[in-house]
Amino acid sequence: MRSLTTRLKRVRKTTIVLSSLLLLIGMRAWRDGRAHERILSAGRILLPSHHVDDRARVLSFWDRARFEQYLARVQDESDVDMRLVFADDLHGATIEQFAAAEAEAMRMGAEGREARGVLFAYDVRGKQLRIEVGYGLEKYFPDAFVGFLITENARDFFAAEDARTGVFLTTRILQSRIRDAALGGDFDPRPLEIFKERSHVSGGAGATAATPLGASAAFVEGRFSPKRHRYFGPQPSPEDAFERYLEWLAAGAGDSDVSLFTPETQLFLADYTMTRGYVAYMLMQISGKTYRVERREDLAMLYFTSTPFASPCFFRQTRAGWQMDITAEMHNTAELVGLPYTWSFVDGGDDFANEFVTEATPVGPNGVLRWRDGDNRPLPMRD
């Protein structure tokens, strides 16, 4: 039987491609990316283009390759065919007409059991983004939900000339909803209502919104009043700290240097770009879910018992009270795509790893490690 250290290394090896993908998609383009693209697109390397059609050349060669890999894994996992099309000429068609024609021409979702396809169509010249939803997914993605993702998430990244991150995070939110639906979860609109603003939503299956590249972005920002700032401070218990974290998200997550978080977490959040749509997604992941807490002296781990998709939260006790340590979650868990399980423990090499990760148990055939009595239901994988 393999040792725990071997299993941890195996999990890290399994997830390193995804971890690198998340990191690199979230980073700014390499300065020499265009030079690499000119060399590699000269016929030496053939890039598969099943999921990405970037005829307007919005993405770099490397970003297209990573999107192809990521979206292929999404399809393996969920039987949902996600496509990206960036166009600079619609030849007189509206964005709705163009998206519908493209979805039909590429037979989006035809390889699956149902018409389970989602098309992101971006018109560079007209500055509009359309998300076209296939018939097999309409019940999972109400028009208002899709419109909200465009206006409150993707649009701000496009405005900041970061279409790559905008599209990636939007597909990630859609993927989360697909995962929930695969296990029978109903769509919960309450997190969206917290942030809801009037936005234009088309009458068809999907949504359209003006999404200019390089305009002014409106990422989450702002400051709480001094009284409100103190309210989001250390708490008497990990449970209280988690509930206060939910309140912080619902309040807009605009003030990252509150002492509810450890100093390391505050530094991380200061550099972490969030939109209102992404904050709503974070709430949808964990709001209303049941959980338990394991304590080890001044450390605690909160794990979920009614969702298999949310990784654990970690907390530290100080003289002032319990603080949330989001950086510990980053070090000791890895997100997975294309496997029956969506996250796994990995050995972060810190005190949380010594106290909790070493007690994790393997689940499934892929060396994935989870907490023994959490919600460890696997996803039904594509046939």
Side-chain angles (χ1 to χ4, degrees), residues 153-220:
N153 184 67
R155 183 165 62 183
D156 289 325
F157 284 105
F158 274 71
E161 296 187 309
D162 194 359
R164 169 188 52 183
T165 305
V167 172
F168 171 68
L169 293 182
T170 304
T171 60
R172 188 178 180 188
I173 296 171
L174 290 172
Q175 181 193 18
S176 174
R177 173 67 196 120
I178 292 166
R179 286 171 165 174
D180 194 39
L183 294 184
D186 294 326
F187 177 70
D188 182 1
R190 288 175 297 175
L192 269 63
E193 293 296 326
I194 295 174
F195 301 97
K196 188 175 181 180
E197 293 182 350
R198 301 300 179 194
S199 59
H200 171 69
V201 178
S202 70
T208 303
T211 317
L213 275 170
S216 60
F219 294 115
V220 168

Side-chain angles (χ1 to χ4, degrees), residues 27-80:
M27 293 169 60
R28 297 292 178 185
W30 295 323
R31 292 181 181 178
D32 59 348
R34 293 295 180 185
H36 280 289
E37 182 169 358
R38 286 194 296 271
I39 295 170
L40 296 176
S41 62
R44 300 183 184 181
I45 293 181
L46 296 177
L47 178 68
S49 57
H50 181 71
H51 294 279
V52 182
D53 180 350
D54 186 17
R55 63 194 71 168
R57 302 182 70 81
V58 172
L59 304 173
S60 74
F61 175 90
W62 299 107
D63 291 333
R64 292 201 306 274
R66 291 183 180 100
F67 267 117
E68 285 286 354
Q69 181 187 57
Y70 170 66
L71 296 178
R73 290 184 178 221
V74 169
Q75 189 169 10
D76 288 341
E77 174 187 292
S78 63
D79 199 34
V80 172

Side-chain angles (χ1 to χ4, degrees), residues 15-16 47 78 91 151 242 254 366:
T15 60
I16 193 168
L47 178 68
S78 63
H91 303 287
T151 59
F242 177 72
N366 302 105

Side-chain angles (χ1 to χ4, degrees), residues 18 22 70 73-75 77-80 82 116 137 140-141 171-186 281 285 307-311 334-343 370 377-381:
L18 174 64
L22 297 177
Y70 170 66
R73 290 184 178 221
V74 169
Q75 189 169 10
E77 174 187 292
S78 63
D79 199 34
V80 172
M82 287 193 187
R116 292 165 62 90
L137 293 172
Y140 302 141
F141 300 137
T171 60
R172 188 178 180 188
I173 296 171
L174 290 172
Q175 181 193 18
S176 174
R177 173 67 196 120
I178 292 166
R179 286 171 165 174
D180 194 39
L183 294 184
D186 294 326
Y281 155 71
Q285 286 280 89
T307 174
F309 307 128
S311 55
E335 296 192 38
L336 310 175
V337 178
L339 295 175
Y341 298 94
T342 62
W343 66 268
R370 305 281 286 250
R377 289 174 291 166
L379 283 169
M381 296 294 290

